[in-house]
Amino acid sequence: MKNLLKKRLIIPVIACALFLTTTAFRNDFFEIAKQIEIFTTLFKELNMNYVDETNPGDLMDAAIKSMLADLDPYTNFMNEQDVEAARINNTGDYTGIGAKVKTLKDKLVIVEPYKNYPADKAGLKAGDEIIKVGNTLIETYKEDAGELLKGATDTSVEVTYKRQGKTQTATIKRAEVEIKAVPHFSMVNAKTGYIVLSRFNNKASSETNYALRDLKAQGAERIILDVRGNPGGLLNEAINIVNLFVPKGQLVVTTKSKVKKYNKTYYTQNEPIDTEIPLVILIDEGSASASEIVSGALQDLDRAVIVGSRSFGKGLVQRPKELVYGTQVKITISRYYTPSGRCIQALDYWHRNDKGEAVRVKQENYNEFKTKNGRKVFDGGGVFPDVSITASKNSSIINAIVNNDLIFNYATNYYYSHDVKDVNALQLTDTDFTNFKSFLKTNNFSFVTDTEKALNKALEAAKNDDLDDNIQTDYNTLIANLNKSKSSVIDENKTYILQLLTEDIVKRYVYAEGLYDYYKIHDAEIKKATEVLANPTTYNSYLK
């Protein structure tokens, strides 16, 4: 009788739950179908009736990007070319000329030729401007001109390029290109090994594993792992790299989502290489995502001392979903949490300011967590280093200088006008900085700040109100003072600008590989890491 009563109670409850779930799904499904139908009819009417010819592909591309822009910058639509680029990023393998290339409207600029790959063997150098590929002029080519350089292994492509105003040609034989996750590892001194981890593709952990074993065989008794500027990549590779230094079965990261199947806990699965070797991890504001999982997890487990500046603060996980016609959408599916329970996401994309901009989590809203040994760590602002090296100011004006290729172009000119015999002894001077500022003027560098935009808007409003005669003088004074302020910002960032120039110039002579050797001699973070590792008492004091 009791069992019958239980069944009578259970069946209505289940039925009710199914009804509610189905009803909720149907309501949601109806709303989705409704909005799709509205959009489809709008799209049809627009293309059929608009006064001028429209490009359906461009309209749809703009619509998709505008829709996704309201979410976060990591939820992106990927066309066929984007999907291929993502594949290359994840595997590190592709067929081409072996160079980093920037596509502009009328030319392809060689940003960096990879040592001993086809472009390098053909004599191309950073700064060369490709104006024609085969018989195709770049300035008249309507598609992605970078695709012209791709092709099957052992096929050849002729390029016409300009170098320092002179037109030249070269024939490049394409080949398979492998982009390493670990582009460099070596000994800093007799007992300290140095590993550069530049990306988290599907070879990251195996290459780091190899580097670690090799350095230990060379006598390394302590390790520096450099993830500065590493934007992240594959989650499982980050877990495997943590596993090199911690035991099997250790919690590394937890992901949480509204979709239950994405709620996961990730533990180390393999036997480690070395759980005792002293370890310093170098981070900076360019270290993001998987780099923060590695540094954050090893910090939480008191397994490494973190040196550098605060990391980027990306605590979100994305997953690609296949669509039709070879396209994909990469969707933010969850947040991740380090072993202490913190999420280091720094920007809040879901509570924006009046301008629609994501706001940084305020320090007073950080939550405190504890490492394995009870040290305080915090969420909400990236990974904070245990040993802080002052970060560059990296103001919007400096970003504008970099984004306008003025650092890059100055380095190109420097390379062709200076015969540097010993690159490791290169030290730029005050004279070089003065020359660079003159270079900015010669190239008509100008940058409109948000302050200027606001002042211009105020002046326009004053004109509409017939008040401009009264404020014009004050406006001119403010603009003059603002221009002086711009110049002072450049001076204040002198050290950082000279650092950027030096790095680019060094690569012109000895490629990216030689830059790491230069770092081992001159880099402040590597020097500090070496110093911390050399003193066991100092090293242990940061972990307890």
Side-chain angles (χ1 to χ4, degrees), residues 98-101 109-114 125-127 408 507 511-513:
K100 185 178 179 181
V101 179
V109 179
I110 301 293
V111 175
E112 179 187 345
Y114 303 139
K125 297 185 179 297
F408 179 81
K507 284 197 294 185
Y511 303 88
E513 292 85 346

Side-chain angles (χ1 to χ4, degrees), residues 221-343:
E221 296 177 6
R222 42 206 183 225
I223 294 293
I224 300 170
L225 178 63
D226 192 344
V227 295
R228 289 176 296 176
N230 185 326
L234 301 176
L235 174 65
N236 63 305
E237 291 296 307
I239 296 163
N240 290 338
I241 288 170
V242 172
N243 198 171
L244 299 176
F245 303 100
V246 302
K248 181 178 180 179
Q250 173 63 57
L251 173 66
V252 176
V253 67
T254 302
T255 59
K256 296 180 182 179
S257 170
K258 72 172 185 179
V259 181
K260 287 186 178 180
K261 68 178 180 179
Y262 297 142
N263 294 337
K264 294 185 178 181
T265 51
Y266 295 88
Y267 295 85
T268 52
Q269 300 293 316
N270 306 307
E271 294 301 325
I273 301 299
D274 195 326
T275 62
E276 300 295 330
I277 191 167
L279 174 65
V280 164
I281 300 178
L282 302 182
I283 64 171
D284 65 7
E285 59 274 11
S287 305
S289 191
S291 294
E292 294 173 300
I293 291 175
V294 169
S295 55
L298 291 173
Q299 184 181 51
D300 282 0
L301 298 172
D302 296 302
R303 181 61 189 87
V305 173
I306 313 301
V307 173
S309 54
R310 184 175 69 177
S311 66
F312 180 81
K314 179 177 180 287
L316 306 173
V317 179
Q318 286 73 44
R319 175 170 292 187
K321 296 288 186 180
E322 290 188 4
L323 304 176
V324 294
Y325 300 110
T327 62
Q328 292 182 4
V329 59
K330 187 173 68 171
I331 303 175
T332 297
I333 59 167
S334 59
R335 292 177 176 85
Y336 72 78
Y337 299 80
T338 62
S340 67
R342 56 181 169 148
C343 179

Side-chain angles (χ1 to χ4, degrees), residues 384-447:
F384 289 84
D386 303 306
V387 183
S388 183
I389 305 292
T390 304
S392 62
K393 293 183 179 179
N394 207 9
S395 71
S396 54
I397 294 177
I398 305 305
N399 285 337
I401 290 173
V402 173
N403 294 336
N404 281 281
D405 294 327
L406 292 166
I407 297 284
F408 179 81
N409 292 337
Y410 184 86
T412 300
N413 292 344
Y414 187 99
Y415 173 75
Y416 288 109
S417 60
H418 293 74
D419 184 18
V420 177
K421 299 297 184 183
D422 183 4
V423 174
N424 285 335
L426 178 67
Q427 293 275 14
L428 296 185
T429 64
D430 289 345
T431 301
D432 292 308
F433 185 65
T434 300
N435 291 339
F436 178 69
K437 289 198 291 185
S438 298
F439 178 78
L440 294 180
K441 291 180 181 178
T442 302
N443 284 269
N444 300 316
F445 172 67
S446 62
F447 175 69

